[in-house]
Amino acid sequence: MNALARAPELPWIWMAVAAYAVTAGVAVAGVARGQQREKVVLGMLLTALVLVSVGIAARWARTGHGPFLNMFEILLSNLFSLGVVYAFAYWRLPVLRPTSVVVLPVILLLGLWLLVLRPAGGPLPPTYDTPWLWAHVAMGKVFLGTCLLAVGLAGVMWLRRTRLSAWFRDMPPDVSLDALAWRIMTLALVFESLMLIAGAVWAQGAWGRYWAWDPLETWAFVTWLALAAALHLRLSYPISPRLGALMILGVFVLAFLTFFGVPFVSMAPHKGMI
Amino acid sequence: MLRLLSSVRLTLVGMALLCAGVLLSYNRPAAPLWWLVAPLGLLAVNLLAAIAVNPGINRQGGLLVFHLALLGIVVLAAVGRLVHLDGVVEVTEDSAFLPGDVQVLAKGPLHPMGFSKVFFVQGPFTVDYGPELSRSTTRSQVLAPDGAGRLVPMVVGDDHPLILHGYRFYTSSNKGFAPLLTWIPEHGKPVTGAIHMPSYPLFDWKQDNRWTPPGGAEIRFWLRLKTPLRADAAWTMDRKDSSGVLIVSSGGRRIELKPGQTARLEGGSLRFDELRTWMGYKIFYDPTLPWLFVVAVAGVGGLAWHFWRRLGSSGPERTGRAAGFSAGHGALHT
Ligand code: HEM
């Protein structure tokens, strides 16, 4: 009860995670039965997004700053941004809809992880008072969201090798999914590059250096390089869609570790720099 | 030879080496520079060769812009490293920045050493603190020349540098109190100067320093601040609210001085004129910064253009494996 009084955003966040769980359930059941109930899924997804938004707003009002600071806030904001990117793609790109079987459980996992973290807050360092923070964070979020779309396709290409292959009968063949996934990865590269640029401008303003190979910068760069290498691998070798799908997963794992692993180890997003 | 140099397989080797170099040098400040420079050099040569001979890259406008930008970034970053300077300096309130006080932490071999041209006068500053001494906004007032050479007031902060002749001065957590003293020797002219006490509030418990006046014996100083440090609530560090006594000890004598008071010591007398502050700045010089930004943004623009053109075209990919979005059952246009 005490925790609730101190963190009034919690009930909204719990409801949002529950809504994501229901959405994922409905989506998986729909794809399994061959009738996707797309409107219901999209409606549920929007409901989850509204609930997360209210949770973020409540927390914002309480702490006086946006969700930029610690692991709890980073997960919370990703619950929002990944949901927004996926909802948009789900609406605009019907071919992607069966990927909900892969994508929604991933978002749900983040939500479950959020539930076990303490909703502690802290003061926002003065270096966060800049529009570059917004540019950097927004680009990073779109990057991860875009990457997750490709992961959805990669997951489908792998699930097709299992007993679940019938679920994806109506989707285009792997070669088409592969081409689409890599187009999306090129777009992810655009946003990741923008994230790095905005981050460097911010770092110059905040700490008087634009690049210093701190853990987060290093891992973000390695992710960028891995994505570039994957694109060039496809140019120089005949990579099968399934191998390509593995490379997409690999890039996503690196991005995931950068976003949720490094801050986890080092507490503040840029360790020791605040 | 050019074929080999321009091969995308070589790009993969270069990228793998760069990745290894990055991972090896990270968290290891003493790592040899060539761990990064060698793979970057290889990639740059590879890219130049590819741009020269590979139509896959030099016939596709967006992709070409993107790769040229990558090359531009590497070149600019290299130039930046050659001419850069990292340093720190402490400037006393109501005094001018003294180029001789700059402590150079690192500089490129081609740095022009132009900070002797830099001039500004330090004014007062305030630093906001939250509970548990979490440092927040710093507002450091300075008088600095504007475009027309007139001295105008400006406010410098951790993220609002003062930029003079390409040198960026950022305030830092390193700042403190500086008692202004006048030494009046028995024979000769008086000298006035400030001694910088250790950084405050970091060294709140150790506000001492020593100085040997010309013709006198070593003097030790302690600053006893009137208001004790507050770690429990928010407060603002501001000279206006700070006062203290200066405890002077020399030749076995110990004297407490308030601002304006004088003590007779061996070889002369010492006047504690007033309590001032000093601000520690981080200095950063790298004239390539704006260019890096422009080139990087142009590069991403090129990549976005490449993506967009591919999106619209239904033609086969160069690699001939798939037909992209349009094969995705008209995915984008439904
Ligand atoms: C440094 C040496 C590099 C060389 C020699 C090189 C060469 C090439 C070549 C020849 C292409 C062929 C395009 C085509 O045939 O359609 C290409 C595409 C591409 N390169 Fe590079 N590249 C280099 C570095 C990079 C880096 C560091 C990135 C960073 C992300 C990058 C990103 C891309 C992208 C996104 C494409 C388009 C891929 C596609 O459309 O599928 N390149 N590169």
Side-chain angles (χ1 to χ4, degrees):
Chain A
M1 241 24 235
N2 223 350
L4 274 189
R6 265 186 278 126
E9 69 272 19
L10 282 181
W12 297 102
I13 295 172
W14 294 338
M15 285 193 283
V17 175
Y20 270 123
V22 176
T23 317
V26 173
V28 173
V31 173
R33 288 209 207 99
Q35 32 174 263
Q36 289 193 49
R37 301 237 201 75
E38 286 134 330
K39 289 212 172 112
V40 180
V41 172
L42 199 54
M44 286 302 305
L45 200 51
L46 292 178
T47 311
L49 281 174
V50 169
L51 292 168
V52 181
S53 311
V54 177
I56 290 177
R59 185 177 172 85
W60 200 316
R62 174 169 78 84
T63 59
H65 61 74
F68 304 121
L69 213 51
N70 53 26
M71 203 54 199
F72 185 89
E73 296 183 344
I74 295 173
L75 274 173
L76 179 59
S77 55
N78 274 283
L79 217 52
F80 173 79
S81 59
L82 295 178
V84 167
V85 174
Y86 192 63
F88 182 78
Y90 193 90
W91 170 47
R92 296 299 298 163
L93 298 169
V95 66
L96 284 180
R97 286 178 187 162
T99 64
S100 55
V101 168
V102 177
V103 173
L104 290 175
V106 173
I107 302 183
L108 178 61
L109 268 177
L110 291 181
L112 294 175
W113 183 3
L114 180 64
L115 293 187
V116 300
L117 293 182
R118 278 189 342 117
L124 207 61
T127 47
Y128 280 49
D129 181 20
T130 155
W132 289 106
L133 161 79
W134 289 88
H136 178 61
V137 170
M139 291 301 109
K141 298 253 144 74
V142 180
F143 158 61
L144 200 66
T146 316
C147 216
L148 187 58
L149 299 181
V151 166
L153 289 168
V156 166
M157 284 185 260
W158 272 89
L159 286 175
R160 274 184 161 164
R161 319 288 309 166
T162 69
R163 280 189 314 183
L164 305 183
S165 65
W167 290 14
F168 309 103
R169 251 189 328 245
D170 297 339
M171 286 189 90
D174 276 1
V175 275
S176 306
L177 294 190
D178 172 76
L180 177 57
W182 285 98
R183 288 288 155 79
I184 295 177
M185 287 307 266
T186 311
L187 187 62
L189 181 65
V190 171
F191 288 113
E192 192 185 15
S193 306
L194 288 174
M195 170 184 89
L196 293 184
I197 295 172
V201 175
W202 180 20
Q204 182 66 47
W207 306 307
R209 88 293 185 290
Y210 65 87
W211 197 270
W213 300 113
D214 77 9
L216 213 46
E217 287 165 355
T218 304
W219 283 104
F221 181 77
V222 167
T223 308
W224 184 86
L225 203 58
L227 179 45
L231 285 167
H232 288 83
L233 259 171
R234 287 186 81 249
L235 288 172
S236 35
Y237 295 94
I239 305 266
S240 71
R242 255 176 309 132
L243 187 55
L246 271 189
M247 297 198 310
I248 292 176
L249 287 179
V251 172
F252 182 73
V253 165
L254 278 175
F256 192 89
L257 288 177
T258 308
F259 275 67
F260 304 111
V262 180
F264 199 50
V265 180
S266 67
M267 290 305 290
H270 285 269
K271 188 185 178 184
M273 287 303 174
I274 296 165
Chain B
M1 182 67 186
L2 197 59
R3 234 188 130 72
L4 179 75
L5 270 185
S6 69
S7 145
V8 179
R9 297 186 184 186
L10 187 61
T11 314
L12 292 169
V13 174
M15 287 176 173
L17 290 175
L18 180 58
C19 187
V22 165
L23 292 177
L24 282 173
S25 359
Y26 131 77
N27 266 350
R28 209 174 300 171
L33 204 55
W34 62 263
W35 285 359
L36 294 181
V37 172
L40 282 173
L42 174 67
L43 283 170
V45 172
N46 173 221
L47 190 48
L48 266 177
I51 289 172
V53 301
N54 189 333
I57 188 167
N58 64 23
R59 292 263 173 81
Q60 307 199 63
L63 213 50
L64 181 60
V65 169
F66 176 68
H67 285 88
L68 281 174
L70 290 176
L71 209 53
I73 290 172
V74 171
V75 171
L76 283 170
V79 171
R81 284 290 91 190
L82 288 176
V83 299
H84 92 289
L85 176 132
D86 277 302
V88 287
V89 69
E90 296 177 4
V91 192
T92 315
E93 187 182 346
D94 287 340
S95 308
F97 158 77
L98 295 175
D101 285 350
V102 173
Q103 192 190 338
V104 176
L105 301 178
K107 71 178 173 71
L110 302 182
H111 178 72
M113 282 314 253
F115 56 70
S116 51
K117 286 186 270 176
V118 171
F119 178 81
F120 70 91
V121 178
Q122 178 65 44
F125 63 78
T126 58
V127 184
D128 294 340
Y129 276 89
E132 288 167 42
L133 294 183
S134 59
R135 191 171 66 93
S136 176
T137 314
T138 299
R139 285 170 231 88
S140 174
Q141 302 178 33
V142 298
L143 285 176
D146 65 2
R150 277 181 312 241
L151 280 185
V152 291
M154 297 183 194
V155 178
V156 188
D158 279 13
D159 48 1
H160 296 286
L162 170 69
I163 306 177
L164 296 170
H165 296 282
Y167 291 89
R168 292 162 180 262
F169 291 78
Y170 299 87
T171 56
S172 69
S173 62
N174 194 32
K175 79 270 164 212
F177 293 103
L180 185 74
L181 307 168
T182 300
W183 172 250
I184 308 145
E186 276 158 15
H187 313 287
K189 277 200 187 148
V191 282
T192 298
I195 47 166
H196 290 187
M197 291 300 181
S199 186
Y200 188 87
L202 183 63
F203 294 107
D204 162 59
W205 46 276
K206 194 180 168 298
Q207 290 295 302
D208 60 14
N209 208 337
R210 46 185 86 202
W211 178 59
T212 308
E218 186 189 69
I219 310 175
R220 301 185 61 190
F221 302 93
W222 288 271
L223 178 65
R224 198 174 65 221
L225 290 165
K226 211 160 137 200
T227 352
L229 185 60
R230 301 173 55 181
D232 54 334
W235 58 288
T236 296
M237 178 173 173
D238 186 344
R239 206 240 326 195
K240 281 208 308 276
D241 310 331
S242 313
S243 60
V245 280
L246 190 66
I247 299 158
V248 175
S249 113
S250 176
R253 293 180 57 213
R254 190 171 183 278
I255 306 158
E256 291 198 2
L257 293 180
K258 290 193 184 128
Q261 291 184 331
T262 304
R264 281 207 59 78
L265 300 173
E266 191 186 318
S269 23
L270 181 81
R271 188 172 69 227
F272 173 28
D273 293 320
E274 61 174 338
L275 185 60
R276 288 190 185 171
T277 53
W278 59 268
M279 174 50 76
Y281 290 95
K282 264 192 305 196
I283 310 175
F284 181 89
Y285 177 87
D286 184 343
T288 64
L289 285 186
W291 298 106
L292 269 173
F293 180 75
V294 169
V295 170
V297 170
V300 181
L303 187 61
W305 178 26
H306 174 69
F307 170 79
W308 197 248
R309 272 185 26 149
R310 283 272 182 100
L311 198 65
S313 82
S314 53
E317 275 191 37
R318 192 192 68 91
T319 42
R321 276 187 312 275
F325 265 117
S326 40
H329 288 200
L332 197 78
H333 305 292
T334 38

